[in-house]
Each structure stands twice: as C-alpha cells, then as structure tokens.
Amino acid sequence: MVDLSLVLWAAIPPLLLLGYYYYRMPFAPPVFRLLMFFIIGAISGILALSLEWIFESVVNSVLDWQQIKQSLPAIALRQLVEIGPIEEGCKLAAVVIPTYYLQRSYRLLHSSVFLFTIAVALGFTAEENWIYLFHGTASILDRSIGTPVHAMFSAPWGYALGIYISSKNRLNRDRKFIFRAWLNSVICHALVNVLSSAWRYSLPLRFLSYGLFPFLLWMFWRLEQLLRKVQGKPVITLIWERTPQRRYWQRSLVLFALLLGGNAIFGLFLLGRKISPLSPLKLFDTYILWFIVTRFLLNLFFGVLAWGIYQYLRHSARRRYF
C-alpha cells in the first residue's frame, strides 16, 4: 500500500515550485493543462526508470557492469551514455508529444512551451522523490533541496523548443538549436551526478564535490536568465567590459562569487544534515548550539560576500549602459 505521507512529501515541493513559476509567467497556460504536463512528467520518470533497468540488464549480460561502474570514470561514462540521455530524452518526449496535439487547436506561446517543460521536469522530480523516499536512500531535506534541479537541466532545450514551436517560420537551424540545447542538458545532467558522487572517493577526487553547488548555482542563474528572455525582459549583464584584461577580471569575479555562494549553500546543507537527526532539546546544548551558530554565521558571511560581488557587477553594468 502506498504511504500517503511519502507521496505528499514527494509531490508538494515540486508543485509549490511550479506554482511559483506559474505566477511569474505572463500569459501562463491554464492550471489544469500545467497539471496535465506535471502528471505526464511523473509518468516519463517511470518510463525512464524502466529504460534504465533494461539498459543495465543488457549491459550486465555482456560486461560485469556492477563492478566496473564503481570507479568515478565509469560513473561519468554511465551518466553520459545511460542516465543523461534516457532521462532528458524521456522528458523531451513528454513535452513534445502532448504539445504536438495541443498546437493543432491552439497557438502556443514561447512562454507556454517553456512552462510546460518546467512542469514536466517537476513531475519527473516528484516521481524521483517518491522512489528515493520509498527506498530510504535520501532524506526529505535532500530531496527538497534538489527540487529545482531537473528543471535547471531541461531549461535550455525547453527554451529552444519554445522558439521553434512558437515561430511562424520554422527553420532548420531552430531544429539544430533544439538538439544542441538537449545535448547541453545531457552533459550538465551527467556532470552534476558525477560531482555529487565525488565525495565517496579519497582525495584528491573528493575535492570535486566542492564544485557541485557552484555549478548548480550557475545553472539556476541560467534558468533565471532564460525565464527573463521568455518574459520579454532584458537579461542581467554582469560582464560588459570590452578590453580582454577587464573581461577576464569580471569573469574571475563571477567565478569567485559562484564558488563562495555555492559552497555557502553547501555548508548550510551539510549543517542541516548534521543537526536533522538530533532531538529539539539536544539542539540547545552549549557545544551543539555554539557549533550551529558559528557554522551558520561563517556560511552566511561567504554568502553575503558572494551577493555583494554580484551586486557590484550588476550595478557596474547598469552605470555602463545607463
């Protein structure tokens, strides 16, 4: 029998995030249609899981795949060959097939197709959340923090697909743009999963895990930039200098801000992991309370510093153009 509480914990965070993007999107499609894409996204997650199981079975009949995939290079190969293409392919099909039938009756806007992509990705996330929670392989905190990740993966091809479908003159180069954007999503998907696995290994491979949250932060920034384009707003410019030396300096500042901000979030995530098993009374022990306060303030300091660098670059660009 299905545990209703697990279903709710799996579905509510993605649905809340879908509502957030729905209210931000001008001329958003009807809520019922979005929920339909959300459910289709969850079904595509089941399909992806089945295809991955078939892939594993076929490969295991030829190679000792279970033993080979323990190494980090093998994990990277598996992500690029199996996980990334299957999951992004299923999500793409989950958007394209119902959209094909909808466009027969409706003129679909670029923003609608982009929102359909987010809905499918979040439905896929809900199904994945339930699998992890049901088997006890991840906590509710872990899955809640990872809620926007599949939407961040799929945003490039969702944007490209929206351009193609909403265009009056569908050009061949727009089709090629969809494939390049989908391939970009596959690579980013694989890279995130590899970085998230790096902490299991000994040094120096373990240091790769510190690149995970900065990379996720960059992907979130990319999602927001694509959303601004869909909304008809100008993208936020951070790098604007014309001379190579100044551009390298600004790029270095952006990279530094991503490293600071991403690992500040990572630090808070680790702090939450450490204190989540503790009872509420235990949190007020002097040693534990001091540990929580110092770690929180340290990560907050790095986060504020990253935000300050971002604001400096943004206001510099505004003064340049206005």
Side-chain angles (χ1 to χ4, degrees):
M1 184 175 179
V2 177
D3 189 336
L4 182 59
S5 64
L6 288 184
V7 174
L8 292 175
W9 277 115
I12 288 176
L15 284 171
L16 289 175
L17 189 59
L18 179 60
Y20 170 71
Y21 282 112
Y22 170 77
Y23 283 109
R24 287 182 62 187
M25 191 72 72
F27 309 109
V31 174
F32 175 78
R33 199 171 296 164
L34 276 185
L35 291 177
M36 179 189 73
F37 275 91
F38 183 88
I39 294 170
I40 293 172
I43 295 171
S44 74
I46 298 172
L47 175 61
L49 190 63
S50 303
L51 292 175
E52 288 165 7
W53 181 82
I54 294 170
F55 181 92
E56 297 272 347
S57 301
V58 172
V59 174
N60 278 327
S61 66
V62 180
L63 301 169
D64 187 5
W65 184 244
Q66 293 297 328
Q67 183 64 31
I68 294 173
K69 71 179 185 180
Q70 297 304 315
S71 66
L72 193 61
I75 288 177
L77 179 63
R78 177 174 177 258
Q79 295 297 328
L80 282 171
V81 173
E82 177 191 347
I83 304 299
I86 288 176
E87 294 192 358
E88 292 304 319
C90 287
K91 285 188 285 184
L92 178 61
V95 176
V96 169
I97 293 172
T99 300
Y100 173 77
Y101 289 100
L102 282 175
Q103 67 179 346
R104 291 179 173 182
S105 305
Y106 305 98
R107 173 65 187 273
L108 296 176
L109 302 175
H110 187 186
S111 58
S112 296
V113 178
F114 189 74
L115 200 54
F116 291 159
T117 303
I118 292 177
V120 164
L122 291 174
F124 192 101
T125 301
E127 181 274 338
E128 195 175 72
N129 286 350
W130 184 81
I131 294 294
Y132 278 100
L133 295 177
F134 179 78
H135 291 282
T137 51
S139 68
I140 293 173
L141 175 65
D142 293 353
R143 297 311 304 170
S144 297
I145 290 175
T147 297
V149 172
H150 273 289
M152 295 189 295
F153 289 152
S154 304
W157 60 255
Y159 177 79
L161 186 65
I163 291 176
Y164 178 73
I165 290 177
S166 62
S167 175
K168 293 181 179 178
N169 301 314
R170 296 178 179 176
L171 304 176
N172 190 45
R173 68 170 183 266
D174 291 334
R175 287 186 180 180
K176 293 180 179 178
F177 181 38
I178 295 172
F179 175 74
R180 289 197 300 268
W182 179 83
L183 188 60
N184 178 283
S185 297
V186 169
I187 293 171
C188 289
H189 193 142
L191 184 56
V192 165
N193 287 347
V194 169
L195 292 175
S196 65
S197 303
W199 64 270
R200 305 173 190 168
Y201 297 90
S202 58
L203 299 175
L205 290 178
R206 191 179 299 172
F207 284 126
L208 291 174
S209 62
Y210 290 100
L212 173 61
F213 275 78
F215 189 63
L216 289 174
L217 188 59
W218 173 78
M219 285 203 304
F220 178 76
W221 164 260
R222 182 179 65 175
L223 170 61
E224 288 294 311
Q225 292 286 71
L226 293 174
L227 182 63
R228 289 181 69 89
K229 287 183 178 181
V230 168
Q231 291 172 322
K233 299 178 181 179
V235 296
I236 297 173
T237 303
L238 299 180
I239 301 171
W240 52 269
E241 288 283 2
R242 296 181 179 179
T243 60
Q245 294 83 359
R246 294 291 297 174
R247 289 182 70 85
Y248 286 137
W249 167 245
Q250 289 180 334
R251 287 183 182 131
S252 299
L253 285 178
V254 170
L255 180 61
F256 186 52
L258 287 172
L259 289 172
L260 286 174
N263 283 298
I265 298 170
F266 185 38
L268 293 173
F269 170 69
L270 292 178
L271 179 62
R273 261 189 170 185
K274 288 180 180 178
I275 66 175
S276 58
L278 301 177
S279 63
L281 291 177
K282 197 72 175 174
L283 296 177
F284 292 97
D285 287 356
T286 306
Y287 173 77
I288 294 176
L289 186 60
W290 175 251
F291 176 82
I292 293 172
V293 170
T294 53
R295 292 299 186 277
F296 176 79
L297 291 177
L298 180 63
N299 288 297
L300 182 63
F301 169 75
F302 289 129
V304 170
L305 185 57
W307 179 255
I309 294 171
Y310 166 75
Q311 290 296 329
Y312 163 74
L313 290 170
R314 187 172 180 181
H315 288 305
S316 298
R318 283 177 176 173
R319 288 198 302 269
R320 168 68 177 79
Y321 289 108
F322 299 102

